[in-house]
Amino acid sequence: MSDQPGKCGADHVAPDCAGANFYAIDRGLRDLLRLYLEPGDFRRLEPHFDRLGRLAGGRLDELARIADKHPPVLHPRDRFGRDEDWIDYHSSYREMEEVAFADFQFHAMSHRAGVLGMDRPLPAVAKYALQYLFVQAEFGLMCPISVTDTSIHLVRKFANPELTDYLLPKMLSGDVATMWKGTQFMTERAGGSDVGAIETTARLVDGEWRLYGDKWFCSHADADVALLLARPERAAAGTKGLALFALPRRLKDGGRNAYRIVRLKDKLGTRSMASGEILLEGAFAYLVGDAGAGLKQMMEQVNLSRLSHGVRAAAMMRRCLNEAMVCARTRVAFGNTIIEYPLLRRQLLKIAVPTEQSLSMFLFAARAMDRANAGDKDAEALLRILTPLLKFRACRDNIPVATGAMEVRGGNGYIEEWVHARLVRDAHIGVLWEGTSNINALDIVTRAIGKSNAHRRLAAALSRLLDQAATIPSPFRDRLRDTLERAVGFAEQVAAAPALEENARLAASGLYHITSAILMSWEAAQPELDARRALHARFVLEHRLTPQDPLAPSNRDWEGEAVSVVLSERPVAVSEVVPLLGG
C-alpha cells in the first residue's frame, strides 16, 4: 500500500518516452535543421519530420518492441524436402517495412524525385535526419534500409547500362510487395577486417559468372540482390584481385539461385533483422564495374554505411537522453526528484554531451556530402575525414551512454519490458559493423590524414566557422583555435610515424572532440538558435581536451550554473552563456 493518499504503487514508477513526438521534443534537431537545410527544403520537409517524430514515439516504438521479442525464423526446406529456404518475419516487422520502404521510401529518397513530394532527390541532411528519427524507435530495420540505399548507389555508378536497366527499376520501387531490397555480403571466416583474405571464388562458365564460397556474416540475409566481393580464378592475391558482383536471390526465370542460407545468427542485438550465413554453390552473379577495382568500388558502399552508422549511434544516444531526462524529472527518491542531486546531474551531463556532439557532427558531415555531390572538392575532402571520425567516436560513445541511461532508470532499466535493455544490446554493434574502432581510427590517421591530407581542409573549415561565431567571446574561441592546432599537429605526428600507431585512437578522438566543440560554438552563435550548445562545447573542451589531475577534487563554480542551464527546458540566449564560457 502507498503511504501517500490517492497514489498506488505504479504511480511511483517513472514514465518513459512512449507516446512522445521525438521531433517535437528535440530542440537541437529542430534548430539545426533550419541551419543545415536550405529554407525552402526545410519548409517542405518539416511536416514529414514531425510526422515521423510522432510515429517514432508512437506506433513504430510499439512495433519495434514486439519485433525484438519475435525474431525472424529460417525455414531451410519446404515440406517436400526442397532447399527452398525462406525467412518468416513477424507482422510487426512487416508493418515497419511498410513505413520505411513504402511511406517514407528511405531507400529511394537519395536517388529519385517523388519521395515525400519532392521534385528532386532529398538532400543528405534531410535523409539522415529522417534516419535519426526512425532509429530512435527501431535500429534493426535500418540495416536493410541503408544497404538497399547504398546498393542502389553502387549499381547506378558502376554497373553497365544493361544491368542498371534491369536492377534499378526494381530496387527504386515504392511497392514493398514487388520491390527488390539490397544488401552487402563481405565478411568471411578468413576475411573480416582483412578483406584481402577473402576466399570466395568466381568462375566464368559459358560466359556467366558463378560464385563458390561461404559468407560468414550476412545481414539482411534474404535480400533480393546482394553486392559482394569474390576473387576471379587466376586473379591476383590480396585486395587487388577482388571483383564486385551482384548476386540475385532469384533468377530471371523465377527459379532460386544456387546459394543457401545455412543458418541465422543468434545475435546479442538487432534481433528484429535477419543475419545469417550464406553458402554459395555455383551461384549466378553479375560482374559490376571493373573486375580489378572491386574493393575500391565496394568501399564507397562501406563509407556510406559508416556515415549511416554514425547517425544511428547519434539516434540511439538521443533516445537514451530522452529516456534519462523524463525519468530524472519525474522519479522521486529521498523526497526529491532525482534530477536535483549533484551526482545524477553529472551523470545526465555525461549522457547529454556526447549526444549533442554526435548531432552536430552528423549534420555537418551530411551537409558536406550535399556539397560534395554538387562538385565541391573541399567538401569531398571534409567528408573523407568526417565519415570515419563520426563512425569511430559516436559508435564508441553510444555504449556508455546507453549504460548510463539504463542506470538512471534503475532496476527497471535492466528489465526487457523497458527500452533500455534493447538500447544497450544494439549499441554494441556500432563498433563492429563496417570496421571496428581500430580499423576506423587507422583509416583516419593513415589514409584520411596520411594520404589525403583531409585534416588540413577540416582545420581550415573549422577556423572559418570560428571567425563567423562573433558573438562567442574571443578568449574562448582562441582556446578552441589553440586546441585545434594541437589536435591537428598530434594527428599529423601519429600519421607520420608508424611507431606511434598505438596512438591512432587517441588522435582520432582528439580531432572528433575539437571538431564537435567548434561546431557547437558556431551553432550557438547563430541568430535565433538555442545557445546552450556553446556550454556543451565548453564541457567538451574542459573534460575531453584539457589535462586534469584525476586525484584533485572538481570544484568549478561555472559548472554548476552551466549544468543548470543545460538541463533546463527553456530557450537559452547567447547573452546568458557568455559569462559561463570563461577565458
Side-chain angles (χ1 to χ4, degrees):
M1 295 291 292
S2 170
D3 58 0
Q4 297 184 36
K7 276 199 169 189
C8 67
D11 293 320
H12 296 287
V13 178
D16 60 12
C17 290
N21 181 327
F22 289 166
Y23 177 71
I25 66 175
D26 193 339
R27 185 194 308 272
L29 178 65
R30 297 197 320 272
D31 274 358
L32 295 186
L33 284 176
R34 296 177 185 272
L35 179 61
Y36 286 98
L37 273 177
E38 296 298 326
D41 288 344
F42 177 77
R43 285 193 300 271
R44 281 187 289 269
L45 291 170
E46 189 181 31
H48 298 291
F49 296 136
D50 184 74
R51 182 165 64 92
L52 184 54
R54 281 186 280 109
L55 277 170
R59 182 58 178 165
L60 275 173
D61 188 50
E62 295 172 5
L63 294 170
R65 292 170 190 261
I66 298 169
D68 184 65
K69 300 293 188 295
H70 298 87
V73 176
L74 172 66
H75 299 275
R77 288 183 167 183
D78 68 9
R79 65 182 184 275
F80 298 101
R82 293 175 296 211
D83 292 325
E84 291 284 349
D85 49 345
W86 75 96
I87 298 174
D88 267 342
Y89 294 90
H90 193 267
S91 58
S92 57
Y93 185 86
R94 293 303 192 192
E95 187 174 336
M96 290 193 294
E97 284 188 313
E98 287 288 337
V99 174
F101 290 107
D103 187 356
F104 284 87
Q105 297 185 35
F106 281 97
H107 64 295
M109 60 176 52
S110 287
H111 306 287
R112 62 167 169 79
V115 178
L116 302 182
M118 291 288 281
D119 59 357
R120 65 190 188 283
L122 267 69
V125 171
K127 178 180 80 171
Y128 289 119
L130 289 165
Q131 287 193 11
Y132 171 82
L133 289 167
F134 186 95
V135 171
Q136 289 181 53
E138 163 63 5
F139 177 82
L141 181 56
M142 187 48 66
C143 175
I145 293 169
S146 178
V147 288
T148 301
D149 170 27
T150 57
S151 295
I152 290 169
H153 170 79
L154 259 63
V155 169
R156 168 168 278 162
K157 185 169 183 178
F158 298 116
N160 61 48
E162 181 181 0
L163 183 57
T164 298
D165 291 344
Y166 176 61
L167 291 179
L168 284 187
K170 299 175 177 63
M171 299 180 76
L172 287 168
S173 170
D175 181 357
V176 177
T178 60
M179 71 168 289
W180 278 25
K181 304 184 190 79
T183 191
Q184 64 179 34
F185 296 162
M186 287 273 286
T187 304
E188 300 183 9
R189 279 169 285 192
S193 297
D194 184 6
V195 179
I198 280 176
E199 296 176 333
T200 297
T201 59
R203 298 176 190 168
L204 195 57
V205 180
D206 297 329
E208 295 182 342
W209 286 101
R210 299 285 174 173
L211 304 184
Y212 298 84
D214 195 336
K215 293 294 183 180
W216 180 243
F217 203 106
C218 303
S219 289
H220 194 19
D222 59 340
D224 301 283
V225 59
L227 297 181
L228 54 81
L229 295 174
R231 194 181 312 281
E233 290 184 317
R234 295 179 294 280
T239 58
K240 293 181 180 179
L242 297 175
L244 178 64
F245 293 91
L247 174 76
R249 182 86 172 118
R250 293 279 171 179
L251 304 175
K252 286 186 176 181
D253 64 5
R256 67 185 297 275
N257 205 349
Y259 71 89
R260 292 184 290 130
I261 304 171
V262 180
R263 64 171 176 167
L264 297 185
K265 300 287 193 181
D266 185 7
K267 295 172 294 180
L268 173 68
T270 65
R271 292 178 177 174
S272 65
M273 183 269 298
S275 299
E277 298 164 21
I278 304 297
L279 184 61
L280 301 157
E281 303 170 309
F284 168 80
Y286 301 96
L287 178 67
V288 177
D290 182 353
L295 179 60
K296 182 179 179 180
Q297 294 168 167
M298 178 62 90
M299 283 306 297
E300 291 207 18
Q301 184 170 35
V302 169
N303 282 324
L304 287 169
S305 295
R306 284 176 175 172
L307 180 54
S308 178
H309 264 291
V311 175
R312 292 176 231 177
M316 286 193 284
M317 285 192 277
R318 178 64 62 182
R319 179 66 186 270
C320 289
L321 176 59
N322 288 341
E323 293 289 345
M325 292 302 296
V326 74
C327 183
R329 289 179 175 134
T330 56
R331 183 181 175 190
V332 175
F334 309 106
N336 296 305
T337 53
I338 61 174
I339 198 171
E340 299 175 54
Y341 294 110
L343 277 175
L344 196 281
R345 292 166 78 81
R346 185 175 180 84
Q347 185 168 345
L348 291 173
L349 198 68
K350 289 182 177 181
I351 298 170
V353 170
T355 300
E356 301 299 346
Q357 286 181 271
S358 64
L359 174 61
S360 294
M361 289 292 287
F362 95 67
L363 288 171
F364 188 58
R367 180 60 182 149
M369 176 179 284
D370 284 326
R371 289 167 44 216
N373 290 341
D376 186 325
K377 293 300 181 184
D378 278 346
E380 189 176 319
L382 280 178
L383 188 62
R384 176 64 188 88
I385 193 168
L386 287 170
T387 295
L389 277 177
L390 178 66
K391 165 66 167 70
F392 165 71
R393 191 67 253 172
C395 290
R396 290 189 63 75
D397 287 343
N398 192 17
I399 295 172
V401 163
T403 302
M406 178 175 65
E407 189 177 9
V408 173
R409 173 70 56 185
N412 283 335
Y414 199 66
I415 304 304
E416 291 283 352
E417 291 176 321
W418 300 78
V419 73
H420 298 281
R422 174 158 53 94
L423 289 169
V424 169
R425 288 189 274 107
D426 286 350
H428 287 77
I429 198 63
V431 296
L432 303 174
W433 275 348
E434 312 307 344
T436 62
S437 299
N438 289 347
I439 292 298
N440 280 275
L442 289 172
D443 181 50
I444 293 162
V445 171
T446 63
R447 297 183 182 88
I449 295 174
K451 294 183 178 179
S452 300
N453 286 315
H455 64 302
R456 286 295 168 186
R457 301 287 183 92
L458 176 61
L462 295 174
S463 294
R464 289 192 294 271
L465 295 182
L466 282 173
D467 291 340
Q468 296 169 18
T471 56
I472 301 299
S474 294
F476 184 69
R477 284 186 286 154
D478 289 342
R479 284 190 66 193
L480 291 172
R481 287 185 201 277
D482 292 343
T483 306
L484 174 62
E485 184 176 343
R486 291 184 62 229
V488 168
F490 177 53
E492 280 187 345
Q493 184 182 2
V494 174
L500 297 177
E501 181 182 297
E502 65 184 27
N503 293 283
R505 285 173 33 162
L506 188 61
S509 291
L511 283 175
Y512 178 90
H513 290 315
I514 190 56
T515 299
S516 63
I518 291 173
L519 287 177
M520 291 189 292
S521 299
W522 170 72
E523 292 158 357
Q526 304 307 303
E528 300 181 8
L529 265 65
D530 191 89
R532 77 186 69 219
R533 305 192 72 73
L535 296 178
H536 288 299
R538 186 171 184 192
F539 284 123
V540 172
L541 186 60
E542 301 291 354
H543 291 279
R544 294 290 180 264
L545 295 166
T546 301
Q548 299 181 48
D549 183 349
L551 299 181
S554 175
N555 186 19
R556 302 179 179 90
D557 291 339
W558 72 272
E559 279 202 2
E561 189 173 349
V563 171
S564 295
V565 173
V566 165
L567 297 182
S568 71
E569 297 181 274
R570 56 181 174 77
V572 177
V574 171
S575 58
E576 187 175 355
V577 305
V578 164
L580 298 173
L581 293 179

